[in-house]
Amino acid sequence: MHRSLVRPFMGARGFSSTSEKIVASVLFERLPVVIPKLDPVVYAFQEFSFRWRQQYRRKYPDEFLDMSKSRGKGDYQIDYVPAPRITEADKTNDRKSLQRALDRRLYLLLYGDSNAAPSRKPVWHFPEKVYDSEETLRKCAESALASVLGDLSHTYFVGNAPMGHMVIQQMENVPEPFKRFFFKSQVIDTNKFNIRKCEDFVWVTKDELLEYFPEEAEFFKKMIIS
């Protein structure tokens, strides 16, 4: 299998200039929900920087500080309780839930028929569709994701161009060569989808995703920057 970065393939009016089969795949991601924890080294540096600046801070009169302490006091008080960073889905390793790995990006993988599946056996893959008569390849990618989610009301496609592609050569289990182009789309304003048209699905981090595609791990490491 040969892998490469994005190369031009579109001819006039956005249509393919070759008869080779083209597949549009969607890297559908949920962005982090909480701020990741700081690395201990970064935290130590920030603490040092704060204490260093405190040596040269401006000193205010005691009367001014007493006034500032009285501000905002009223008949009510709000007790702030931060939401837990570790959820029940984390504890049970429920990869069907979007309520896990809140400080990481999650990616949708499907289990079922794929255009690259040997002998049409079900495999893990991204939402995808063979490019047919769509106006653009992005429209094809949108159609691929809509067929899985039902609609795109809680999605956002990042740009019109693919983020990367790989060339699948003809082999014993692949009767004809094809090119797979990846488009990025993101989850917007929801934490649950009704995933359909597949035997199974998971929401995984980048590290977990690489476990599902060991042969393409190096390609996805370069394509997915997170």
Side-chain angles (χ1 to χ4, degrees), residues 19-137:
S19 59
E20 190 174 46
K21 185 170 72 172
I22 293 172
V23 175
S25 295
V26 182
L27 192 72
F28 191 40
E29 69 175 0
R30 187 221 64 191
L31 296 175
V33 178
V34 299
I35 298 175
K37 287 186 176 181
L38 288 177
D39 184 276
V41 175
V42 176
Y43 179 82
F45 174 76
Q46 292 184 350
E47 182 71 11
F48 168 78
S49 298
F50 173 76
R51 295 184 180 279
W52 180 266
R53 292 193 300 270
Q54 287 295 91
Q55 300 179 68
Y56 307 101
R57 72 185 187 281
R58 177 178 295 180
K59 295 184 178 181
Y60 294 94
D62 293 339
E63 305 82 42
F64 180 82
L65 296 177
D66 291 339
M67 291 175 59
S68 65
K69 290 178 182 178
S70 64
R71 292 178 181 176
K73 290 185 177 180
D75 298 331
Y76 63 90
Q77 181 178 355
I78 299 177
D79 294 325
Y80 171 72
V81 179
R85 301 177 67 90
I86 305 299
T87 67
E88 191 63 31
D90 286 314
K91 297 176 182 177
T92 61
N93 194 29
D94 182 8
R95 296 191 177 187
K96 284 185 168 57
S97 173
L98 275 170
Q99 296 297 95
R100 63 182 294 266
L102 299 182
D103 60 346
R104 303 285 303 279
R105 295 171 186 249
L106 292 181
Y107 303 94
L108 176 64
L109 295 182
L110 309 175
Y111 184 74
D113 292 338
S114 166
N115 291 280
S119 305
R120 303 299 295 174
K121 294 180 180 179
V123 295
W124 288 103
H125 63 282
F126 299 92
E128 63 183 16
K129 183 181 183 299
V130 176
Y131 177 73
D132 185 14
S133 58
E134 291 83 3
E135 183 180 354
T136 64
L137 192 54

